[in-house]
Amino acid sequence: MESLQVTRLLSWKSFLNTAAKAGTTRFRATTQLGFPPLSKKATKNGFLMIRRSFTNASTGSGSSSGGTDAVSGNISSHDSSSPPVEDEKDENKPGYLLGQEKDGSGLVIGFHFIPPSGDHEVIDSSKDIDGYGVKKIEDVEGEDKAQTRVSYNIVFVTAEAAPYSKTGGLGDVCGSLPVALAARGHRVMVVSPRYLNGTAADENFTLAKDLGCCMKICCFGGEQEIAFFHEYREGVDWVFVDHPSYHRPGNPYGDINGAFGDNQFRYTLLCYAACEAPLVLPLGGFTYGEKCLFLVNDWHAGLVPVLLASKYRPHGVYKDARSILVIHNLSHQGVEPAATYKNLGLPSEWYGALEWVFPTWARTHALDTGEAVNVLKGAIVTADRLLTVSKGYSWEITTVEGGYGLHEILSSRKSVLNGITNGIDITEWNPSSDEHIASHYSIDDLSGKVQCKIALQKELGLPIRPDCPLIGFIGRLDYQKGIDLIRLAAPEILADDIQFVMLGSGDPQFESWMRDTEATYKDKYRGWVGFNVPISHRITAG
């Protein structure tokens, strides 16, 4: 299955392995049927010595009564009473050296076995064994299914996750990547707000059940009570934080009047709830516990690594947990006046982690000191690893032009900054089986595509013209997306014999422009303000 999604998953596997090594965390190792147990042996000349003590797959027997797992060089025994597989004293037994195979960034992507004698063939793991050192198992349909050797407790913290809530790429990634990682054997939880805006979108949360677990969070000058809702779907625990501040018209971040004024409050609650959820929610009968890998997305979840460092680890909690900050859009940083720091419930000595000073030219008046708190900056300096949604973006944010004032801090953390390209869900976005489109088509038979175009024109009230070029845009209405350029070019574009469809929400001025443009070019332009998953599929197909 050669696709961007597969590439991203393989990159994530390698990345998660490295992230676990950021400290002294030891994650649970699981054995795989048919994989030779690796015996405990000191490394020699940078290689790991492995004795040939393979299990007989047909009988289940081996050369020893005990067994061990080796993960990234760490050995964990399932039965401490069993003797080791090899005899440590016998140095003359035949064995193998385990050599590492690395990519351009230095991450381990595979291994090869080197026999002690040059007369033997080197076994390259890239042929039969994936980057985790686990044999691939082929199912009856002939599709390779890679299996995970190490399982992690992964907690996604995000402001949106499709199909429950979505305004753009963040929702897509946090809706599909957790499912893909769960399919690889990890235990995955997604923590996101339970948005209710009085529209049909509220039905997305219908299957999420109240866990009956209420919690009081001390912040913003008082105790804020939250509740947890839960749905288990596609191998993932979807946990929704419930609070009245999430129940209002508009999208997750604002309404027709702009961004909500209490977003700092709303997402502070999310971060506190995300830190508590693995400790208190008995999902599937037991909690996730402290040994978690937190994947926090953008500034909305940026307080999580700060809370882990300032409020939990000093008391011995989450000392083995790790956090990865995923930066989808650096321009949004959660910046508020410095006086709001006391509302966050953080120790006073941690103010420096979030401290932010605007340059003189960016201040509103001569008496403005420019002092503020920057939640994303706090996440950057406290997270164990940093990720962006592409390798190019990981470089761009370290430049003056693309760093939005954070380029120097990001440059100082280059050693833990990586980029992994976003992929797509090839099941959801497969035109040969997409349930949202009028007619199916494929690369081998494109005849159904024109029917998708005709159906879209009919649905949106445009003249039905299969031969007319149709331009489509789906995305957040934000300056970064080039909406200002589209607005400037629209009169010239629409002067030609074309049709133009746009779907998105965001900046109120761009939303207003879309409505005005539709009124001016009734036979050529349609602007759908908001987000609609079926329509986004039909625009892509048509």
Side-chain angles (χ1 to χ4, degrees), residues 103-124:
D103 62 12
S105 63
L107 296 179
V108 177
I109 60 174
F111 301 93
H112 54 268
F113 295 101
I114 306 173
S117 170
D119 298 333
H120 301 283
E121 178 186 0
V122 173
I123 304 173
D124 190 348

Side-chain angles (χ1 to χ4, degrees), residues 286-300:
F286 57 99
T287 65
Y288 275 57
E290 297 180 32
K291 292 185 179 181
C292 291
L293 190 60
F294 287 89
L295 265 63
V296 301
N297 295 269
D298 280 345
W299 81 264
H300 321 100

Side-chain angles (χ1 to χ4, degrees), residues 489-498 521 524:
E492 184 176 351
I493 294 174
L494 293 170
D496 291 331
D497 186 21
I498 62 101
Y521 300 92
K524 291 187 173 184

Side-chain angles (χ1 to χ4, degrees), residues 476-540:
R476 193 174 64 258
L477 304 181
D478 187 271
Y479 174 83
Q480 279 191 309
K481 302 298 183 181
I483 304 299
D484 58 320
L485 302 178
I486 295 177
R487 182 171 65 173
L488 288 173
E492 184 176 351
I493 294 174
L494 293 170
D496 291 331
D497 186 21
I498 62 101
Q499 293 176 346
F500 199 164
V501 180
M502 294 183 66
L503 169 68
S505 62
D507 193 319
Q509 66 169 324
F510 292 131
E511 292 181 353
S512 179
W513 167 77
M514 284 173 55
R515 296 186 183 97
D516 294 341
T517 304
E518 181 174 325
T520 304
Y521 300 92
K522 293 182 179 180
D523 293 335
K524 291 187 173 184
Y525 180 89
R526 289 292 181 272
W528 188 302
V529 177
F531 198 83
N532 184 294
V533 171
I535 290 296
S536 69
H537 283 244
R538 291 197 275 271
I539 291 175
T540 302

Side-chain angles (χ1 to χ4, degrees), residues 61 106-107 109 114 142 146 244 311 338-339 366 371 383 427-428 439 454 476 478 512:
S61 63
L107 296 179
I109 60 174
I114 306 173
K311 301 201 73 173
E371 296 179 0
T427 301
E428 180 184 359
S439 180
I454 292 172
R476 193 174 64 258
D478 187 271
S512 179

Side-chain angles (χ1 to χ4, degrees), residues 259-509:
F260 295 131
D262 61 346
N263 275 344
Q264 186 192 57
F265 168 76
R266 299 167 75 228
Y267 295 116
T268 296
L269 293 184
L270 172 65
C271 294
Y272 271 94
C275 290
E276 288 295 318
L279 302 176
V280 302
L281 299 183
L283 306 178
F286 57 99
T287 65
Y288 275 57
E290 297 180 32
K291 292 185 179 181
C292 291
L293 190 60
F294 287 89
L295 265 63
V296 301
N297 295 269
D298 280 345
W299 81 264
H300 321 100
L303 277 183
V304 169
V306 181
L307 289 170
L308 295 179
S310 66
K311 301 201 73 173
Y312 287 89
R313 287 179 185 144
H315 299 284
V317 182
Y318 281 133
K319 62 182 182 299
D320 288 333
R322 294 294 177 264
S323 60
I324 302 172
L325 170 65
V326 186
I327 301 174
H328 300 258
N329 190 336
L330 189 67
S331 67
H332 301 287
Q333 301 176 4
V335 179
E336 297 287 349
T340 63
Y341 179 80
K342 64 180 184 296
N343 296 331
L344 304 179
L346 298 171
S348 58
E349 61 269 20
W350 279 83
Y351 173 76
L354 278 70
E355 183 180 16
W356 184 251
V357 180
F358 282 101
T360 304
W361 61 266
R363 301 176 189 179
T364 55
H365 52 78
L367 298 180
D368 184 2
T369 62
E371 296 179 0
V373 291
N374 186 322
V375 174
L376 187 62
K377 182 243 183 177
I380 291 172
V381 300
T382 55
D384 295 294
R385 296 295 297 265
L386 308 176
L387 267 184
T388 66
V389 294
S390 72
K391 290 186 177 180
Y393 196 47
S394 68
W395 166 82
E396 182 182 329
I397 62 176
T398 62
T399 67
V400 175
E401 296 81 6
Y404 289 91
L406 293 172
H407 55 282
E408 292 183 355
I409 294 175
L410 288 163
S411 295
S412 70
R413 301 218 67 196
K414 266 188 174 180
S415 61
V416 295
L417 174 62
N418 294 86
I420 298 178
T421 304
N422 266 348
I424 61 170
D425 187 325
I426 61 174
T427 301
E428 180 184 359
W429 292 95
N430 186 347
S432 65
S433 59
D434 193 334
E435 61 181 10
H436 298 301
I437 62 179
S439 180
H440 292 154
Y441 62 91
S442 68
I443 192 171
D444 299 318
D445 181 9
L446 293 170
S447 59
K449 190 167 179 64
V450 68
Q451 298 303 320
C452 293
K453 183 176 183 178
I454 292 172
L456 179 64
Q457 291 171 329
K458 184 177 181 180
E459 181 175 7
L460 298 180
L462 291 169
I464 299 177
R465 298 181 54 196
D467 60 327
C468 180
L470 176 60
I471 302 173
F473 172 90
I474 305 168
R476 193 174 64 258
L477 304 181
D478 187 271
Y479 174 83
Q480 279 191 309
K481 302 298 183 181
I483 304 299
D484 58 320
L485 302 178
I486 295 177
R487 182 171 65 173
L488 288 173
E492 184 176 351
I493 294 174
L494 293 170
D496 291 331
D497 186 21
I498 62 101
Q499 293 176 346
F500 199 164
V501 180
M502 294 183 66
L503 169 68
S505 62
D507 193 319
Q509 66 169 324

